[in-house]
Amino acid sequence: MITVRRSEERGHAERGWLDSRHTFSFAEYYDPRHMGFRSLRVINEDRIAPGGGFGTHPHRDMEIVTYVLEGALQHQDSLGTSSVIRPGEVQRMSAGTGILHSEYNASDREPVHLLQIWLLPERTGLQPGYEQKSFAEGSRGLRLVGSRDGREGAVTIHQDVELYRAALPAGEEATHALANERYAWVQVTRGSVRLNGLDLRAGDGAEVSNETALTFAAHEDAELLLFDLG
């Protein structure tokens, strides 16, 4: 079964420097029908104006994944990390027992467009940690970018999840097999695709259960994130 969450149905926050779309309930946006899916708790699509950003703030017991689509995001945290996240890179921050961090648009001229993703960790009280890896932005097909065991060069996420990035040129297809009692969430980030006969466009998400395989066919050059969830 596949249930589509259309882009325009998401929550919306506008703060001048920030335009944010919330797939699941977040901050002032609350919808009891959309509180997350399995261990996936937050998918926020943020556009941050030049010079704007989130000041230093705390988090605990959350796996936070940042994925930049356009521009560059400056990250700093209480572990002493200072980095810039660019397209083709994935950042994982484990808030664990507590961490302070900030994110700002690294440019004073161009906006930054990103997804911020939160997953509930498999256990509380983890040691705070940070990891950032680069994946070939132009690579095609499905590419594992996050997993519990960090195999294939993926970032390590402390949860039963496999996170894939898929880049599909127009007319190409990709298939992902779902094991028994596995679930999936698909988030389209660019272009448009057909997922098992359903048309999805940028900003759309899809909740998947009781399916054995997912087939993606790109109507145009497209990109998506696929969460294979326990």
Side-chain angles (χ1 to χ4, degrees):
M1 182 173 71
I2 300 177
T3 303
V4 176
R5 175 80 155 131
R6 294 294 179 194
S7 176
E8 64 271 15
E9 296 170 351
R10 297 177 295 175
H12 183 218
E14 172 61 58
R15 293 186 174 87
W17 60 270
L18 172 68
D19 185 285
S20 186
R21 305 281 171 168
H22 309 319
T23 294
F24 304 118
S25 294
F26 184 83
E28 291 81 16
Y29 170 64
Y30 174 74
D31 185 337
R33 300 168 300 170
H34 300 288
M35 298 298 296
F37 181 64
R38 309 296 293 176
S39 59
L40 186 55
R41 178 61 188 85
V42 167
I43 302 178
N44 288 347
E45 182 178 4
D46 294 338
R47 289 176 170 85
I48 302 174
F54 301 95
T56 301
H57 58 284
H59 282 297
R60 294 179 62 91
D61 292 323
M62 197 67 68
E63 296 289 283
I64 300 173
V65 176
T66 301
Y67 184 73
V68 173
L69 296 164
E70 296 174 304
L73 187 72
Q74 174 71 51
H75 167 92
Q76 290 185 303
D77 63 44
S78 54
L79 300 176
T81 308
S82 179
S83 67
V84 176
I85 312 163
R86 294 182 170 85
E89 299 177 337
V90 175
Q91 178 214 71
R92 183 270 305 163
M93 184 177 68
S94 296
T97 55
I99 195 168
L100 296 169
H101 70 111
S102 64
E103 279 80 30
Y104 282 91
N105 188 337
S107 172
D108 59 4
R109 298 184 303 277
E110 302 294 333
V112 60
H113 180 196
L114 67 134
L115 294 184
Q116 187 173 96
I117 298 151
W118 296 6
L119 293 118
L120 299 169
E122 58 191 353
R123 64 184 185 277
T124 60
L126 291 168
Q127 186 73 19
Y130 178 93
E131 191 177 14
Q132 182 174 330
K133 293 191 176 181
S134 179
F135 302 91
E137 190 183 0
S139 62
R140 295 159 69 165
L142 286 163
R143 172 70 162 91
L144 185 70
V145 298
S147 69
R148 177 191 264 166
D149 58 8
R151 69 184 187 280
E152 299 178 23
V155 299
T156 302
I157 300 173
H158 299 96
Q159 181 51 266
D160 183 11
V161 58
E162 295 180 352
L163 172 57
Y164 295 85
R165 171 187 180 267
L168 295 174
E172 288 204 4
E173 293 189 4
T175 299
H176 177 74
L178 274 180
N180 189 37
E181 297 186 0
R182 299 291 294 182
Y183 301 80
W185 183 274
V186 175
Q187 190 70 31
V188 181
T189 57
R190 304 182 203 270
S192 59
V193 300
R194 175 161 288 187
L195 167 61
N196 290 18
L198 296 171
D199 289 327
L200 303 175
R201 63 185 185 279
D204 289 349
E207 173 186 312
V208 182
S209 59
N210 298 316
E211 298 281 342
T212 58
L214 302 177
T215 299
F216 305 96
H219 297 304
E220 56 187 314
D221 290 354
E223 180 183 349
L224 59 90
L225 295 179
L226 165 62
F227 300 82
D228 184 323
L229 301 157

